[in-house]
Amino acid sequence: MRAILHVDMDAFYASVEQRDDPRLRGKPVAVGGASRRGVVLAASYEARPFGVRSAMPMARAIRLCPQLVVVPPHFDQYAAASEQVFEVFHTFTPEVEGLSLDEAFLDVTRSQALLGAPLEQARAIKARIREKTQLSASVGLAEVKFAAKIASELSKPDGLLEVPRGQVREFLAPLPASRLWGVGPRTDEQLKSLGLRKIGDVARADRAFLEAQLGSVGPWLHDLADGIDPRAVEPDVEAKSIGAEETFEDDLEGEELLPFLHQQALRVAARLRRAGVRARSVHLKVKYADFRIATRQETLPEPTDDGAEIYRIAARLLERVEARPIRLTGVHAGELGARPPQLGLFDEEAKKRERLNRSLDEIARKFGPDAVLPADVLEKKR
């Protein structure tokens, strides 16, 4: 039977800020823009009892928690910490499917002969992440991806929860139906109107009835509720495209979306580099408040794995979609190809950038993300 881990770093952006600035430890912290139109990218656990959460307008967060400490995002530091975390993952298994900078699925089924039982590996991964980054992670262990993800969510913060083998259906049954993948506020209301409030209710419902009421999503939700999730962990190197998406709790517009596009672009770039590939195209996906989806795409003259370039393109693509309230954005990289072993003979400037980036990555791995900082980032930290 498969053994799948879902590893999720705890309040990642805020935790990195608290780790790197001792003055923030123990205080309610929100990472994001401090302007009137700023949004919360991440909230520390000290801020969450006040109702502060990601994607919330910063002005509202400050009203809920007047003592909130607002910190501008430092994406270079998050990317450096993410690289360290994923290095830990790959010491246990090559079957790593990164979902974002701070979250991944790991299939450790074939690692057991060398590294021990899945639960032992999960404990070792948590310990090694803390040793290497001084950050905590929550881990869920199950035989299917969906249950592993829910287990990690239930174990937060800094927890570990194993779903016993053969008991996925029983584990899921008492949980709210809103925890099923694909169930947003609208679908949750539909399920409640049908008397289906728990995952167990969905599992016991007639499959054909769910399809008649919910369309094609009905059988999918029935399978999940029944503990059926055959999807395999897909390592990045085997993917046809690499992307990152986020659904906002409050609809956003215009410049409010840019920080989220930025972090999504950095997630995608980090995964490209981990997989040793570059992308020839960048895709933007938006889902409006009325659930209508729009996509835009741009083909690049040269393949890239650079987060700044992917973000510039995504921001440019955003200008080409209709300006209306948006509930989801996604940045995707396509037309993947192996990273070239050597740059062109006459591309000396690109060679210099490659050497510089390799050096900075190595320094960050050895001495931490604050060892070398760009001038503008250093100015923000003062």
Side-chain angles (χ1 to χ4, degrees), residues 206-226:
D206 181 74
R207 185 185 179 90
F209 171 76
L210 289 176
E211 185 170 14
Q213 296 294 323
L214 303 173
S216 60
V217 74
W220 161 249
L221 295 181
H222 187 273
D223 282 349
L224 286 181
D226 215 23

PDB file of all heavy atoms in Angstrom, residues 206-226:
ATOM      1  N   ASP A 206     -26.198   8.649  -2.664  1.00  0.00           N
ATOM      2  CA  ASP A 206     -26.186   7.917  -3.925  1.00  0.00           C
ATOM      3  C   ASP A 206     -25.336   8.668  -4.945  1.00  0.00           C
ATOM      4  O   ASP A 206     -25.503   9.892  -5.129  1.00  0.00           O
ATOM      5  CB  ASP A 206     -27.616   7.754  -4.446  1.00  0.00           C
ATOM      6  CG  ASP A 206     -27.670   6.982  -5.745  1.00  0.00           C
ATOM      7  OD1 ASP A 206     -27.487   5.763  -5.722  1.00  0.00           O
ATOM      8  OD2 ASP A 206     -27.871   7.643  -6.785  1.00  0.00           O
ATOM      9  N   ARG A 207     -24.450   7.958  -5.593  1.00  0.00           N
ATOM     10  CA  ARG A 207     -23.513   8.575  -6.543  1.00  0.00           C
ATOM     11  C   ARG A 207     -24.258   9.251  -7.708  1.00  0.00           C
ATOM     12  O   ARG A 207     -23.932  10.380  -8.106  1.00  0.00           O
ATOM     13  CB  ARG A 207     -22.566   7.497  -7.061  1.00  0.00           C
ATOM     14  CG  ARG A 207     -21.458   7.985  -7.978  1.00  0.00           C
ATOM     15  CD  ARG A 207     -20.679   6.781  -8.508  1.00  0.00           C
ATOM     16  NE  ARG A 207     -19.630   7.185  -9.407  1.00  0.00           N
ATOM     17  CZ  ARG A 207     -18.386   7.480  -9.035  1.00  0.00           C
ATOM     18  NH1 ARG A 207     -18.061   7.402  -7.756  1.00  0.00           N
ATOM     19  NH2 ARG A 207     -17.470   7.840  -9.920  1.00  0.00           N
ATOM     20  N   ALA A 208     -25.272   8.560  -8.243  1.00  0.00           N
ATOM     21  CA  ALA A 208     -26.036   9.124  -9.357  1.00  0.00           C
ATOM     22  C   ALA A 208     -26.805  10.373  -8.920  1.00  0.00           C
ATOM     23  O   ALA A 208     -26.937  11.344  -9.682  1.00  0.00           O
ATOM     24  CB  ALA A 208     -26.998   8.074  -9.911  1.00  0.00           C
ATOM     25  N   PHE A 209     -27.298  10.372  -7.676  1.00  0.00           N
ATOM     26  CA  PHE A 209     -27.998  11.549  -7.149  1.00  0.00           C
ATOM     27  C   PHE A 209     -27.054  12.753  -7.077  1.00  0.00           C
ATOM     28  O   PHE A 209     -27.424  13.870  -7.459  1.00  0.00           O
ATOM     29  CB  PHE A 209     -28.555  11.223  -5.764  1.00  0.00           C
ATOM     30  CG  PHE A 209     -29.100  12.407  -5.019  1.00  0.00           C
ATOM     31  CD1 PHE A 209     -30.325  12.950  -5.346  1.00  0.00           C
ATOM     32  CD2 PHE A 209     -28.370  12.985  -3.980  1.00  0.00           C
ATOM     33  CE1 PHE A 209     -30.829  14.051  -4.664  1.00  0.00           C
ATOM     34  CE2 PHE A 209     -28.861  14.080  -3.291  1.00  0.00           C
ATOM     35  CZ  PHE A 209     -30.096  14.610  -3.634  1.00  0.00           C
ATOM     36  N   LEU A 210     -25.825  12.530  -6.603  1.00  0.00           N
ATOM     37  CA  LEU A 210     -24.859  13.620  -6.515  1.00  0.00           C
ATOM     38  C   LEU A 210     -24.522  14.176  -7.896  1.00  0.00           C
ATOM     39  O   LEU A 210     -24.388  15.385  -8.075  1.00  0.00           O
ATOM     40  CB  LEU A 210     -23.588  13.143  -5.816  1.00  0.00           C
ATOM     41  CG  LEU A 210     -23.699  12.873  -4.314  1.00  0.00           C
ATOM     42  CD1 LEU A 210     -22.383  12.309  -3.780  1.00  0.00           C
ATOM     43  CD2 LEU A 210     -24.055  14.150  -3.558  1.00  0.00           C
ATOM     44  N   GLU A 211     -24.408  13.279  -8.878  1.00  0.00           N
ATOM     45  CA  GLU A 211     -24.107  13.741 -10.239  1.00  0.00           C
ATOM     46  C   GLU A 211     -25.271  14.563 -10.793  1.00  0.00           C
ATOM     47  O   GLU A 211     -25.053  15.589 -11.465  1.00  0.00           O
ATOM     48  CB  GLU A 211     -23.813  12.560 -11.149  1.00  0.00           C
ATOM     49  CG  GLU A 211     -23.374  12.976 -12.544  1.00  0.00           C
ATOM     50  CD  GLU A 211     -22.863  11.813 -13.359  1.00  0.00           C
ATOM     51  OE1 GLU A 211     -23.077  10.652 -12.961  1.00  0.00           O
ATOM     52  OE2 GLU A 211     -22.244  12.060 -14.417  1.00  0.00           O
ATOM     53  N   ALA A 212     -26.486  14.138 -10.513  1.00  0.00           N
ATOM     54  CA  ALA A 212     -27.656  14.873 -10.992  1.00  0.00           C
ATOM     55  C   ALA A 212     -27.743  16.260 -10.357  1.00  0.00           C
ATOM     56  O   ALA A 212     -28.139  17.228 -11.003  1.00  0.00           O
ATOM     57  CB  ALA A 212     -28.928  14.073 -10.696  1.00  0.00           C
ATOM     58  N   GLN A 213     -27.343  16.361  -9.090  1.00  0.00           N
ATOM     59  CA  GLN A 213     -27.466  17.627  -8.364  1.00  0.00           C
ATOM     60  C   GLN A 213     -26.268  18.557  -8.583  1.00  0.00           C
ATOM     61  O   GLN A 213     -26.425  19.776  -8.626  1.00  0.00           O
ATOM     62  CB  GLN A 213     -27.611  17.349  -6.859  1.00  0.00           C
ATOM     63  CG  GLN A 213     -28.870  16.599  -6.491  1.00  0.00           C
ATOM     64  CD  GLN A 213     -30.124  17.403  -6.760  1.00  0.00           C
ATOM     65  OE1 GLN A 213     -30.149  18.622  -6.574  1.00  0.00           O
ATOM     66  NE2 GLN A 213     -31.171  16.725  -7.225  1.00  0.00           N
ATOM     67  N   LEU A 214     -25.070  17.973  -8.729  1.00  0.00           N
ATOM     68  CA  LEU A 214     -23.844  18.782  -8.750  1.00  0.00           C
ATOM     69  C   LEU A 214     -23.087  18.711 -10.070  1.00  0.00           C
ATOM     70  O   LEU A 214     -22.070  19.387 -10.225  1.00  0.00           O
ATOM     71  CB  LEU A 214     -22.912  18.334  -7.619  1.00  0.00           C
ATOM     72  CG  LEU A 214     -23.479  18.378  -6.198  1.00  0.00           C
ATOM     73  CD1 LEU A 214     -22.496  17.755  -5.221  1.00  0.00           C
ATOM     74  CD2 LEU A 214     -23.794  19.814  -5.792  1.00  0.00           C
ATOM     75  N   GLY A 215     -23.560  17.882 -10.988  1.00  0.00           N
ATOM     76  CA  GLY A 215     -22.846  17.735 -12.248  1.00  0.00           C
ATOM     77  C   GLY A 215     -21.639  16.820 -12.095  1.00  0.00           C
ATOM     78  O   GLY A 215     -21.597  15.955 -11.211  1.00  0.00           O
ATOM     79  N   SER A 216     -20.620  17.038 -12.919  1.00  0.00           N
ATOM     80  CA  SER A 216     -19.468  16.132 -12.943  1.00  0.00           C
ATOM     81  C   SER A 216     -18.681  16.121 -11.645  1.00  0.00           C
ATOM     82  O   SER A 216     -17.961  15.165 -11.352  1.00  0.00           O
ATOM     83  CB  SER A 216     -18.529  16.519 -14.093  1.00  0.00           C
ATOM     84  OG  SER A 216     -18.069  17.850 -13.926  1.00  0.00           O
ATOM     85  N   VAL A 217     -18.802  17.184 -10.832  1.00  0.00           N
ATOM     86  CA  VAL A 217     -18.072  17.217  -9.567  1.00  0.00           C
ATOM     87  C   VAL A 217     -18.678  16.241  -8.556  1.00  0.00           C
ATOM     88  O   VAL A 217     -17.998  15.819  -7.611  1.00  0.00           O
ATOM     89  CB  VAL A 217     -18.042  18.656  -8.986  1.00  0.00           C
ATOM     90  CG1 VAL A 217     -19.400  19.054  -8.411  1.00  0.00           C
ATOM     91  CG2 VAL A 217     -16.978  18.791  -7.915  1.00  0.00           C
ATOM     92  N   GLY A 218     -19.947  15.854  -8.747  1.00  0.00           N
ATOM     93  CA  GLY A 218     -20.611  14.979  -7.792  1.00  0.00           C
ATOM     94  C   GLY A 218     -19.919  13.643  -7.591  1.00  0.00           C
ATOM     95  O   GLY A 218     -19.579  13.276  -6.450  1.00  0.00           O
ATOM     96  N   PRO A 219     -19.643  12.865  -8.660  1.00  0.00           N
ATOM     97  CA  PRO A 219     -18.943  11.594  -8.488  1.00  0.00           C
ATOM     98  C   PRO A 219     -17.538  11.761  -7.912  1.00  0.00           C
ATOM     99  O   PRO A 219     -17.064  10.916  -7.145  1.00  0.00           O
ATOM    100  CB  PRO A 219     -18.886  11.035  -9.920  1.00  0.00           C
ATOM    101  CG  PRO A 219     -20.050  11.672 -10.617  1.00  0.00           C
ATOM    102  CD  PRO A 219     -20.146  13.053 -10.034  1.00  0.00           C
ATOM    103  N   TRP A 220     -16.872  12.849  -8.288  1.00  0.00           N
ATOM    104  CA  TRP A 220     -15.528  13.115  -7.752  1.00  0.00           C
ATOM    105  C   TRP A 220     -15.586  13.292  -6.234  1.00  0.00           C
ATOM    106  O   TRP A 220     -14.786  12.702  -5.496  1.00  0.00           O
ATOM    107  CB  TRP A 220     -14.972  14.354  -8.436  1.00  0.00           C
ATOM    108  CG  TRP A 220     -13.837  15.047  -7.746  1.00  0.00           C
ATOM    109  CD1 TRP A 220     -13.861  16.260  -7.139  1.00  0.00           C
ATOM    110  CD2 TRP A 220     -12.485  14.571  -7.598  1.00  0.00           C
ATOM    111  NE1 TRP A 220     -12.631  16.573  -6.616  1.00  0.00           N
ATOM    112  CE2 TRP A 220     -11.775  15.554  -6.884  1.00  0.00           C
ATOM    113  CE3 TRP A 220     -11.827  13.411  -7.984  1.00  0.00           C
ATOM    114  CZ2 TRP A 220     -10.426  15.416  -6.563  1.00  0.00           C
ATOM    115  CZ3 TRP A 220     -10.490  13.279  -7.661  1.00  0.00           C
ATOM    116  CH2 TRP A 220      -9.802  14.269  -6.960  1.00  0.00           C
ATOM    117  N   LEU A 221     -16.555  14.068  -5.752  1.00  0.00           N
ATOM    118  CA  LEU A 221     -16.685  14.279  -4.310  1.00  0.00           C
ATOM    119  C   LEU A 221     -17.080  12.982  -3.610  1.00  0.00           C
ATOM    120  O   LEU A 221     -16.613  12.710  -2.498  1.00  0.00           O
ATOM    121  CB  LEU A 221     -17.722  15.368  -4.023  1.00  0.00           C
ATOM    122  CG  LEU A 221     -17.384  16.777  -4.521  1.00  0.00           C
ATOM    123  CD1 LEU A 221     -18.493  17.747  -4.153  1.00  0.00           C
ATOM    124  CD2 LEU A 221     -16.049  17.255  -3.965  1.00  0.00           C
ATOM    125  N   HIS A 222     -17.907  12.177  -4.262  1.00  0.00           N
ATOM    126  CA  HIS A 222     -18.311  10.896  -3.675  1.00  0.00           C
ATOM    127  C   HIS A 222     -17.104   9.982  -3.490  1.00  0.00           C
ATOM    128  O   HIS A 222     -16.940   9.336  -2.441  1.00  0.00           O
ATOM    129  CB  HIS A 222     -19.361  10.223  -4.557  1.00  0.00           C
ATOM    130  CG  HIS A 222     -19.948   8.988  -3.956  1.00  0.00           C
ATOM    131  ND1 HIS A 222     -19.379   7.739  -4.117  1.00  0.00           N
ATOM    132  CD2 HIS A 222     -21.048   8.810  -3.159  1.00  0.00           C
ATOM    133  CE1 HIS A 222     -20.103   6.842  -3.471  1.00  0.00           C
ATOM    134  NE2 HIS A 222     -21.121   7.453  -2.881  1.00  0.00           N
ATOM    135  N   ASP A 223     -16.218   9.933  -4.500  1.00  0.00           N
ATOM    136  CA  ASP A 223     -15.013   9.107  -4.392  1.00  0.00           C
ATOM    137  C   ASP A 223     -14.114   9.595  -3.259  1.00  0.00           C
ATOM    138  O   ASP A 223     -13.616   8.793  -2.452  1.00  0.00           O
ATOM    139  CB  ASP A 223     -14.241   9.112  -5.710  1.00  0.00           C
ATOM    140  CG  ASP A 223     -14.866   8.202  -6.756  1.00  0.00           C
ATOM    141  OD1 ASP A 223     -15.757   7.423  -6.392  1.00  0.00           O
ATOM    142  OD2 ASP A 223     -14.460   8.287  -7.928  1.00  0.00           O
ATOM    143  N   LEU A 224     -13.882  10.904  -3.200  1.00  0.00           N
ATOM    144  CA  LEU A 224     -13.037  11.443  -2.135  1.00  0.00           C
ATOM    145  C   LEU A 224     -13.607  11.109  -0.762  1.00  0.00           C
ATOM    146  O   LEU A 224     -12.885  10.683   0.143  1.00  0.00           O
ATOM    147  CB  LEU A 224     -12.891  12.957  -2.284  1.00  0.00           C
ATOM    148  CG  LEU A 224     -11.995  13.486  -3.401  1.00  0.00           C
ATOM    149  CD1 LEU A 224     -11.981  15.013  -3.360  1.00  0.00           C
ATOM    150  CD2 LEU A 224     -10.579  12.945  -3.293  1.00  0.00           C
ATOM    151  N   ALA A 225     -14.911  11.317  -0.606  1.00  0.00           N
ATOM    152  CA  ALA A 225     -15.556  11.045   0.685  1.00  0.00           C
ATOM    153  C   ALA A 225     -15.452   9.569   1.044  1.00  0.00           C
ATOM    154  O   ALA A 225     -15.425   9.215   2.227  1.00  0.00           O
ATOM    155  CB  ALA A 225     -17.021  11.478   0.634  1.00  0.00           C
ATOM    156  N   ASP A 226     -15.372   8.731   0.030  1.00  0.00           N
ATOM    157  CA  ASP A 226     -15.276   7.283   0.246  1.00  0.00           C
ATOM    158  C   ASP A 226     -13.828   6.831   0.430  1.00  0.00           C
ATOM    159  O   ASP A 226     -13.553   5.635   0.526  1.00  0.00           O
ATOM    160  CB  ASP A 226     -15.893   6.555  -0.950  1.00  0.00           C
ATOM    161  CG  ASP A 226     -16.608   5.280  -0.529  1.00  0.00           C
ATOM    162  OD1 ASP A 226     -16.996   5.177   0.644  1.00  0.00           O
ATOM    163  OD2 ASP A 226     -16.766   4.384  -1.365  1.00  0.00           O
TER     164      ASP A 226
END
